[in-house]
Amino acid sequence: MEKLSIEQISPQEVKPQVLFQEAKEDDPEYEMALPISVTQDESKEDIEKGILERLSREHWYLQEYWRNKVIQEQIVLEVGEVVLEIFNFQNEQLEDWQLEQIRRVVTDYSQLRNSPVFSLVKSIVIDNEQPINPHSGKEMNGWGGSDGAVKLYPAALKPIAHRVTGVSNLEGTLIHEFAHSLGVEFENMWRKEFGWEQMEKPEQLMNGTWRLEQNIEPERCITEYARINTAEDICESMVGALRNPGALDPARYRKIHEELL
């Protein structure tokens, strides 16, 4: 049974408190402790700083960027056994059509087979700032990181079309960013299956980033953006598979269907 519950909260800063305590072998929760390696010349402050940096890579809310912002709206989305929290840093609350599109995408992903997405992604974070995509030089829609959250930027929430024909920008962005968490094994399979190879001479893109891969049949990629690398090909193909299968290369659709749908 699908359930959507919205909890309105007063604007608040992201200020989680991190407390450090050394675990002893006879502690009841010793096996849950975080193992670290230290040297004799490291101070207590240095050790705690290193731990916080490590935790920050895994938990978005510990990162300095977000700790300096104010949450304007918090929403809990439950779809079956999937529970996601939406943290909205924009001044405008999400509209009903936006919530419905988010719910629809989460529902689709909750029904995938062999998918690690929701074991990795626990939050959707909506930023109030608009970065530029280093690959295209255009407004960035989102970011699928390894820190427990998918990020959406203001451009993703605009009522405009996505790169994949017939798909809204919000649904397309969310499908795309969730797909970044399908895992290394899936990516390696896709790279081999669909002709991705390392470039002999990397190509510099916008903002100084580099393109390191090329496809032997780029015309089979569903969008120009999908031609950047294996990961973006997977993510754009997932948008096509879930929203416009007729626009997707049949071999790519079959593979997604066999592995996930």
Side-chain angles (χ1 to χ4, degrees), residues 8 15 34-35 38 59-60 66 72 74 78 101 103 107 113 122 125 176 193 199 222 229 241 259:
Q8 301 292 347
K15 291 294 183 184
L34 180 70
V38 299
H59 304 284
W60 67 272
W66 301 105
Q72 300 293 339
Q74 183 174 339
E78 297 181 46
Q101 290 192 14
R103 183 200 63 78
T107 299
R113 293 181 293 106
K122 302 299 183 182
V125 179
H176 178 111
E193 186 90 9
M199 299 177 68
I222 190 170
N229 56 39
E259 298 291 333

Side-chain angles (χ1 to χ4, degrees), residues 65-77:
Y65 179 83
W66 301 105
R67 287 163 62 89
N68 292 324
K69 290 178 177 287
V70 176
I71 301 171
Q72 300 293 339
E73 179 183 34
Q74 183 174 339
I75 298 168
V76 178
L77 173 63

Side-chain angles (χ1 to χ4, degrees), residues 24-68:
K24 306 294 185 181
E25 288 191 22
D26 57 352
D27 290 340
E29 298 181 348
Y30 177 77
E31 293 184 357
M32 298 175 60
L34 180 70
I36 61 171
S37 299
V38 299
T39 60
Q40 290 184 342
D41 57 348
E42 282 187 284
S43 66
K44 180 175 181 289
E45 291 74 19
D46 289 336
I47 293 172
E48 292 182 355
K49 181 181 178 182
I51 294 173
L52 186 57
E53 289 176 352
R54 174 176 170 180
L55 292 174
S56 296
R57 291 192 293 269
E58 301 171 356
H59 304 284
W60 67 272
Y61 49 83
L62 294 177
Q63 296 163 13
E64 191 71 22
Y65 179 83
W66 301 105
R67 287 163 62 89
N68 292 324

Side-chain angles (χ1 to χ4, degrees), residues 203-244:
E203 176 185 350
Q204 190 167 20
L205 301 174
M206 302 286 184
N207 295 353
T209 59
W210 293 87
R211 181 182 175 207
L212 305 176
E213 290 184 289
Q214 62 184 3
N215 194 269
I216 60 175
E217 296 180 287
E219 68 280 358
R220 296 177 63 185
C221 295
I222 190 170
T223 64
E224 187 72 26
Y225 198 79
R227 300 180 182 186
I228 293 173
N229 56 39
T230 306
E232 304 303 348
D233 185 19
I234 291 171
C235 294
E236 294 286 87
S237 295
M238 280 298 295
V239 178
L242 292 178
R243 290 294 179 272
N244 189 356

Side-chain angles (χ1 to χ4, degrees), residues 33 67 73 86 94 105 129 154-155 247:
R67 287 163 62 89
E73 179 183 34
I86 303 173
L94 292 174
V105 173
E129 298 183 41

